[in-house]
Amino acid sequence: MAKVFIDGSAGTTGLRIFERLSNRSDIELLTLSEETRKDISARKRALNSCDAAFLCLPDAAAVEAVSLVENPNVKLLDTSTAHRTAPGWAYGFPELGEKFLDKIKNGNRIAVPGCHASGFIALVYPLIEAGIIPKNAMLTCHSITGYSGGGKKMIAQYEDKNRDEALSSPRQYGLTQQHKHLKEMVAVTGIENAPVFCPIVSDFYSGMCVTVPVFAKELCDGKTVNDIKEVYKSKYSDGLVSYKEEIGEDGFICSNALSFKDNMEIFVQGNEERILLIARYDNLGKGASGAAVECLNILLGRDRTTGLDL
């Protein structure tokens, strides 16, 4: 039985991971009391006595947690931004290909992808890999997410019965184009230019929809929308990411359709001239906690969907 510790189990991501693991018979969860969960000595003992630990912490605290680990056998899964492009850390998106899967299987330092970045990378990486989009493409990314992505503080704001009326309207943010997910979006896909990124938080709890528009005339070597579809069909033929031919929602796409689920759906819409690449999933599922548990399953040699809600 694997011993697993969640450092930061009181946060939104940590709580969802705890929910997915608490009823599993193959895992013993190591926990700290409310009084000791922030005590550095207690955390250090737990981090060094487990087989695997989730770091559900702010970036600086995640870096500190890594420094506390002296046991070389402990496997760390960091859900923060701190290590997503760091040398020696595997990027936790196994559906991107064997090299990603192998690094997770054989590593002990796994960086769990960011929620917005997961959709962008799932859409763009296969097309760069297949030579359909040039690495120097000038891309745009539109992403709408539920308010749970902002953590406990934002959840409380949206669920306050006396909340500001402005919260009933979708709100675009990251206006300075310095969003923290941009770094991994560039590094993992291999593109040369960061996309113009337009994240939006809206008045629903969880779920998200990421869209990357592409002009067909900008594809490489006369490639078409059908070539894009074939790449996705081949890349995402099984696992937690799947290509869907039709949306089937009367010309709309609902961003929270996969709320509380751990999978991701990929769509190609638009027409022969203007193409929409779309990824839909839960910001707390494949965009965070579900992705983290999937990586743990791989590290432990379990079926990657164990304990997940599909």
Side-chain angles (χ1 to χ4, degrees):
M1 182 179 294
K3 295 181 179 180
V4 177
F5 174 57
I6 305 172
D7 195 3
S9 60
T12 306
T13 299
L15 284 171
R16 289 288 292 270
I17 291 174
F18 183 87
E19 291 170 1
R20 287 160 168 79
L21 299 182
S22 58
N23 294 321
R24 285 178 54 168
S25 60
D26 62 326
I27 285 174
E28 176 189 351
L29 277 173
L30 305 183
T31 59
L32 298 177
S33 68
E34 182 64 26
E35 294 74 22
T36 61
R37 67 182 180 86
K38 293 186 178 181
D39 180 86
I40 193 166
S41 297
R43 289 173 54 224
K44 183 174 182 178
R45 285 193 297 271
L47 284 165
N48 285 282
S49 60
C50 65
D51 297 301
F54 292 98
L55 309 182
C56 303
L57 304 162
D59 287 6
V63 172
E64 177 191 57
V66 174
S67 72
L68 298 176
V69 177
E70 299 169 346
N71 183 346
N73 297 317
V74 173
K75 300 178 185 299
L76 297 179
L77 299 101
D78 184 8
T79 69
S80 81
T81 311
H83 298 103
R84 290 176 186 158
T85 60
W89 285 73
Y91 192 74
F93 205 121
E95 290 84 5
L96 294 179
E98 286 298 321
K99 70 177 183 179
F100 288 87
L101 178 59
D102 289 344
K103 285 183 179 180
I104 297 170
K105 282 182 177 179
N106 300 315
N108 62 2
R109 297 291 184 269
I110 314 301
V112 179
C115 57
H116 295 289
S118 293
F120 179 83
I121 290 167
L123 295 169
V124 174
Y125 178 84
L127 303 186
I128 295 291
E129 180 185 41
I132 290 180
I133 292 179
K135 288 187 175 183
N136 64 354
M138 306 295 287
L139 298 174
T140 297
C141 178
H142 168 277
S143 182
I144 185 165
T145 182
Y147 58 78
S148 60
K152 283 189 170 182
K153 182 178 179 180
M154 183 173 286
I155 292 171
Q157 289 176 330
Y158 271 87
E159 296 185 351
D160 185 342
K161 65 180 180 179
N162 298 315
R163 70 181 192 178
D164 191 313
E165 182 61 26
L167 298 182
S168 64
S169 170
R171 298 187 298 158
Q172 186 168 322
Y173 63 104
L175 302 180
T176 63
Q177 291 298 301
Q178 299 294 322
H179 194 282
K180 63 182 182 178
H181 289 182
L182 283 168
K183 187 176 179 180
E184 66 187 284
M185 291 159 76
V186 171
V188 177
T189 60
I191 56 177
E192 297 173 0
N193 307 295
V196 176
F197 183 36
C198 306
I200 297 170
V201 61
S202 193
D203 189 13
F204 57 95
Y205 181 75
S206 70
M208 64 192 309
C209 192
V210 175
T211 302
V212 178
V214 177
F215 283 106
K217 65 182 180 181
E218 295 178 352
L219 302 180
C220 297
D221 303 322
K223 300 294 186 181
T224 68
V225 64
N226 287 329
D227 294 311
I228 292 175
K229 292 179 179 180
E230 290 303 315
V231 167
Y232 289 152
K233 288 178 184 178
S234 175
K235 174 68 78 174
Y236 302 129
S237 58
D238 58 16
L240 297 180
V241 182
S242 60
Y243 170 75
K244 301 289 184 180
E245 191 68 41
E246 299 292 338
I247 294 174
E249 297 175 15
D250 297 324
F252 294 86
I253 181 166
C254 181
S255 298
N256 68 346
L258 295 182
S259 182
F260 293 98
K261 301 293 184 181
D262 293 309
N263 58 314
M264 176 187 287
E265 296 175 336
I266 301 293
F267 303 94
V268 179
Q269 296 292 298
N271 53 48
E272 294 294 335
E273 296 178 353
R274 299 179 307 282
I275 305 163
L276 298 177
L277 313 176
I278 303 171
R280 177 167 66 180
Y281 50 106
D282 185 0
N283 56 289
L284 294 178
K286 185 57 174 166
S289 305
V293 173
E294 179 188 8
C295 289
L296 175 69
N297 287 335
I298 293 170
L299 285 172
L300 298 180
R302 315 293 195 261
D303 183 289
R304 68 174 66 177
T305 63
T306 302
L308 299 181
D309 190 348
L310 307 178

